[in-house]
Amino acid sequence: MACRKLFVLSALLVATGFSSCEKNFNAEELSKDDAFRDETSTDEISKRAVQSAKTTFNRLKSTFVGLAEKKGARGRPRFRGRPSSTSYKIDMVFVMDRSGSIGRRNFNLEKQFVANLIEYFPIFPARTRVAIVTYSTLVKLEFNFNKYINKECLRKGIQDIRYTGGMTATGTALQYVRNSLIFNAAAGARSGAKKVVFVLTDSKSNRGVTPGIPAGQLKSAGVIIFALGITYNIRQSELLAIATSPNHVFHVANYAVLNQVTQAIRGDLSKKCYNGQTVYDECGRKCRCLNGKLVKCCRLRREFTDMSYTERVRYINTVKTASTNPAYKPQYDTLLTLHKTIFFSGIHDIDFFLPWHRWYILQYENLLQQIDCRVTVPYWDWSLVGANPFSSSIWNTDFFNFEQMLRIQFHDLVHCRIDGKMCTIDSATAPEFFLHHGFVDKIWWDWQKQSNAHKFNTYFLTQAGLMTSTPYRSKDFLDLNNQPGCVCAEYVNPRNVAYGRIKVSQLKSVARLPLPPLSNKAAKLFRTSSVEIKLVTRLRVKIKPRRTVSKSALHGSDAKLGIKLSEIGQGD
């Protein structure tokens, strides 16, 4: 008899929209949920409110997508924009239903819909930030606004969300968004950013607080809420209570129609660019077009003296903002102090020097991009203002000789040739620091690009320990195009007369300024061992010019390059 009652109860649950696999279900919960359940599972108003895929897509374009798109002269969306504009800062939360009535297959369709919808928005720390909350019986924060700083990782983050099943606590999810997420600076929320919430649900709320209560509180605080109902199990009245206005309510009959909306979005995106096209996005990254989506996007780091006046001023002003604005100064100070704190903790030794400073440049760049996503860390090619040392076979040699010369002869030496703060443990606070280290990193990357054996050097691959004060190992930063956080970066060669025109054979024969030895001051600062100094002294012979020239004999471009261009047919 008890089994028969259990069977009847299970049948009733299925008939009213619950899954037979509900977690932690009991009679007490059923009585609590009665307040949210009507006698019938649908109503005629909800049926009449259901929209076609075409209508839903068009309304999404004119309302939700309209928050992001900037129009060009002909009314078409354009990739380049003004990323620093406050009016285009959006903190966006997707509240996704993963209750038992959906099922794993339909939940995947829900994820595909969200993943395609975000393609319309510029996902950068200074522009649109996205957080996702899922809900069933319990509410789960999948990731906050700080987690993903670009679309590449955000796409993957959405696909990694797992389905669980359970009841439908829509109101509790909105309550969590209000109390713990959308206004929480620790979660990456920003003051002054437009606050947007997009709720997806396939049935009326049957657990926790009534959705209209937290939704009303969010709307009173200026939050824009969109609500998408899927299937007839969700009442139109509940969607209207959640959304900011009737224009922000969408309702489709089932997940097949939702999938049609997703396909319409994909078709619309495909019109933005053609496959294989090189496109520069709103923040200046160089991307490839694939079915309307921008993929393989790389930040471009340029030589400082080769940048335009506007680009240099933008970089300087962004650094000023980071170092003075209370919203960014704590991060800025912490990052720069870190280098001083661990100066003698291995970051200037062979094990960590190159990968650690690549990580450090990325952290600095990520901070600057919170202010203006067009800004990358430039490099200063000091070989353009001195004797060009890159004419020797030393750069094609084994890793150890290459690393010793780069770290000791060039990195250490240039630090103290500049002098001032650059020749102290406070060097990270000097304006030249990141420009100098950018060039050191470029030299390493140019060396790595010779082959996979150069790029994925076994010396780093075999290291098991974490780099000092980071959660990463050296091997995590061997590929500049694939760094943690889905960040691709690339160094752009300067448009200088010497680049790509002067052959190594020509440099070997032309008279150049002599290469200075490592100073005692630099050796003391970086605690260079006598063994390392002897090795570098021996290796320096290989890059000495065959003929030298005095600095007083060089003028104009020659003085900057440290060679007489006329000797190789490149003179002014």
Side-chain angles (χ1 to χ4, degrees):
M1 189 66 176
C3 291
R4 178 177 176 80
K5 287 182 178 179
L6 183 60
F7 176 82
V8 172
L9 179 59
S10 298
L12 286 171
L13 288 173
V14 172
T16 52
F18 290 94
S19 168
S20 59
C21 60
E22 298 293 348
K23 293 184 177 180
N24 304 321
F25 176 80
N26 57 44
E28 182 180 354
E29 287 182 342
L30 179 61
S31 64
K32 289 180 180 178
D33 295 330
D34 282 341
F36 299 100
R37 192 178 301 121
D38 292 330
E39 292 298 324
T40 57
S41 61
T42 64
D43 66 357
E44 291 304 316
I45 296 176
S46 295
K47 287 182 178 180
R48 290 196 300 270
V50 168
Q51 303 148 4
S52 68
K54 182 178 180 180
T55 299
T56 301
F57 166 72
N58 288 334
R59 293 186 61 239
L60 279 168
K61 279 277 289 182
S62 63
T63 55
F64 182 73
V65 175
L67 295 172
E69 284 191 343
K70 295 183 179 184
K71 304 296 182 180
R74 299 181 181 178
R76 293 284 298 162
R78 60 186 181 184
F79 288 106
R80 288 193 182 274
R82 294 170 54 198
S84 58
S85 173
T86 303
S87 61
Y88 287 97
K89 289 182 179 179
I90 301 175
D91 290 342
M92 182 181 299
V93 183
F94 285 94
V95 182
M96 300 174 62
D97 188 349
R98 55 177 170 83
S99 59
S101 55
I102 294 176
R104 185 168 282 102
R105 180 178 178 277
N106 286 338
F107 186 67
N108 286 335
L109 294 178
E110 196 174 315
K111 291 195 297 182
Q112 290 173 23
F113 170 78
V114 172
N116 280 273
L117 200 56
I118 59 102
E119 292 294 334
Y120 287 105
F121 292 83
I123 308 300
F124 302 102
R127 295 290 301 277
T128 301
R129 299 184 183 186
V130 174
I132 290 186
V133 170
T134 57
Y135 66 96
S136 54
T137 305
L138 301 175
V139 175
K140 180 183 178 183
L141 174 64
E142 298 293 343
F143 49 82
N144 63 22
F145 298 112
N146 287 326
K147 179 68 174 178
Y148 299 121
I149 61 174
N150 52 45
K151 281 181 188 171
E152 289 78 8
C153 264
L154 179 56
R155 291 169 186 146
K156 186 177 184 301
I158 293 171
Q159 292 308 312
D160 287 344
I161 296 173
R162 294 190 174 187
Y163 172 74
T164 58
M167 293 185 177
T168 309
T170 314
T172 306
L174 287 169
Q175 194 173 50
Y176 175 85
V177 170
R178 174 184 175 271
N179 295 339
S180 304
L181 185 58
I182 202 158
F183 301 113
N184 184 2
R190 298 164 292 176
S191 61
K194 187 174 292 184
K195 308 293 184 180
V196 179
V197 175
F198 197 109
V199 180
L200 296 95
T201 181
D202 89 319
S203 59
K204 54 185 175 292
S205 182
N206 53 40
R207 182 180 178 86
V209 65
T210 304
I213 296 175
Q217 294 168 336
L218 285 165
K219 288 182 281 188
S220 296
V223 178
I224 302 170
I225 306 180
F226 295 83
L228 170 60
I230 310 158
T231 78
Y232 294 115
N233 293 329
I234 175 66
R235 295 176 65 93
Q236 186 73 3
S237 57
E238 185 170 304
L239 295 175
L240 288 168
I242 293 172
T244 310
S245 75
N247 287 335
H248 293 167
V249 172
F250 312 94
H251 200 169
V252 295
N254 50 51
Y255 279 91
V257 179
L258 180 68
N259 189 44
Q260 291 173 13
V261 177
T262 301
Q263 298 309 315
I265 292 172
R266 287 176 176 169
D268 186 58
L269 289 169
S270 68
K271 300 173 185 176
K272 286 195 168 187
C273 56
Y274 58 83
N275 280 349
Q277 180 184 7
T278 297
V279 179
Y280 294 87
D281 68 14
E282 300 93 334
C283 297
R285 296 187 306 167
K286 185 178 181 179
C287 310
R288 296 295 298 275
C289 177
L290 179 64
N291 299 325
K293 297 180 181 180
L294 301 188
V295 298
K296 297 183 179 179
C297 295
C298 265
R299 301 175 183 180
L300 301 179
R301 297 173 178 170
R302 293 181 167 84
E303 206 276 326
F304 188 74
T305 63
D306 195 53
M307 291 161 60
S308 69
Y309 175 78
T310 300
E311 289 171 329
R312 291 198 299 271
V313 169
R314 181 185 298 138
Y315 171 75
I316 293 169
N317 287 341
T318 304
V319 173
K320 286 181 179 178
T321 300
S323 61
T324 58
N325 190 310
Y328 310 104
K329 191 176 187 303
Q331 297 178 67
Y332 180 86
D333 290 343
T334 299
L335 185 63
L336 268 59
T337 301
L338 174 65
H339 188 268
K340 176 182 179 179
T341 304
I342 62 173
F343 195 91
F344 300 114
S345 299
I347 63 171
H348 293 106
D349 297 333
I350 185 172
D351 286 358
F352 296 146
F353 171 67
L354 290 171
W356 189 92
H357 282 87
R358 180 170 286 176
W359 168 84
Y360 196 55
I361 291 170
L362 180 62
Q363 305 317 300
Y364 185 67
E365 188 170 76
N366 285 345
L367 171 59
L368 299 183
Q369 292 214 342
Q370 291 181 39
I371 302 165
D372 191 333
C373 66
R374 296 169 294 181
V375 173
T376 57
V377 175
Y379 66 96
W380 171 47
D381 185 344
W382 29 255
S383 76
L384 297 177
V385 289
N388 192 314
F390 307 117
S391 60
S392 169
S393 60
I394 190 73
W395 305 112
N396 299 319
T397 188
D398 66 273
F399 170 75
F400 294 98
N401 285 345
F402 164 78
E403 194 278 339
Q404 298 265 355
M405 285 299 293
L406 179 57
R407 174 167 52 90
I408 300 171
Q409 177 63 50
F410 295 108
H411 165 264
D412 295 2
L413 182 143
V414 172
H415 259 281
C416 289
R417 291 283 286 187
I418 295 172
D419 214 354
K421 276 196 174 182
M422 278 290 281
C423 197
T424 71
I425 62 173
D426 281 320
S427 57
T429 63
E432 305 93 343
F433 178 87
F434 284 101
L435 277 68
H436 170 46
H437 273 277
F439 187 44
V440 171
D441 191 54
K442 181 185 186 297
I443 295 171
W444 182 33
W445 180 238
D446 286 343
W447 184 84
Q448 287 182 293
K449 288 191 291 187
Q450 295 180 83
S451 71
N452 278 336
H454 286 79
K455 182 186 294 184
F456 302 107
N457 190 272
T458 54
Y459 183 80
F460 291 126
L461 292 177
T462 55
Q463 289 182 9
L466 299 178
M467 295 191 297
T468 309
S469 298
T470 81
Y472 301 105
R473 292 175 171 81
S474 296
K475 63 182 180 181
D476 296 326
F477 282 87
L478 298 185
D479 189 349
L480 189 71
N481 293 161
N482 187 23
Q483 300 178 77
C486 305
V487 174
C488 171
E490 190 57 74
Y491 291 102
V492 180
N493 286 336
R495 294 162 295 184
N496 187 282
V497 66
Y499 263 84
R501 299 183 185 180
I502 302 176
K503 297 178 181 179
V504 171
S505 59
Q506 293 173 314
L507 278 175
K508 286 182 177 180
S509 61
V510 73
R512 294 187 280 124
L513 288 173
L515 185 68
L518 181 69
S519 67
N520 291 333
K521 192 174 182 180
K524 183 178 180 180
L525 173 65
F526 293 101
R527 297 182 177 179
T528 312
S529 69
S530 58
V531 174
E532 289 178 319
I533 292 176
K534 287 180 181 179
L535 174 62
V536 169
T537 301
R538 178 172 55 82
L539 292 173
R540 190 165 57 241
V541 175
K542 295 185 177 183
I543 59 176
K544 284 176 59 177
R546 294 174 183 173
R547 295 188 296 121
T548 60
V549 63
S550 65
K551 194 170 184 179
S552 59
L554 301 175
H555 307 281
S557 298
D558 292 353
K560 289 184 177 181
L561 290 170
I563 59 176
K564 285 191 175 182
L565 289 173
S566 58
E567 290 191 18
I568 49 178
Q570 300 286 340
D572 294 333

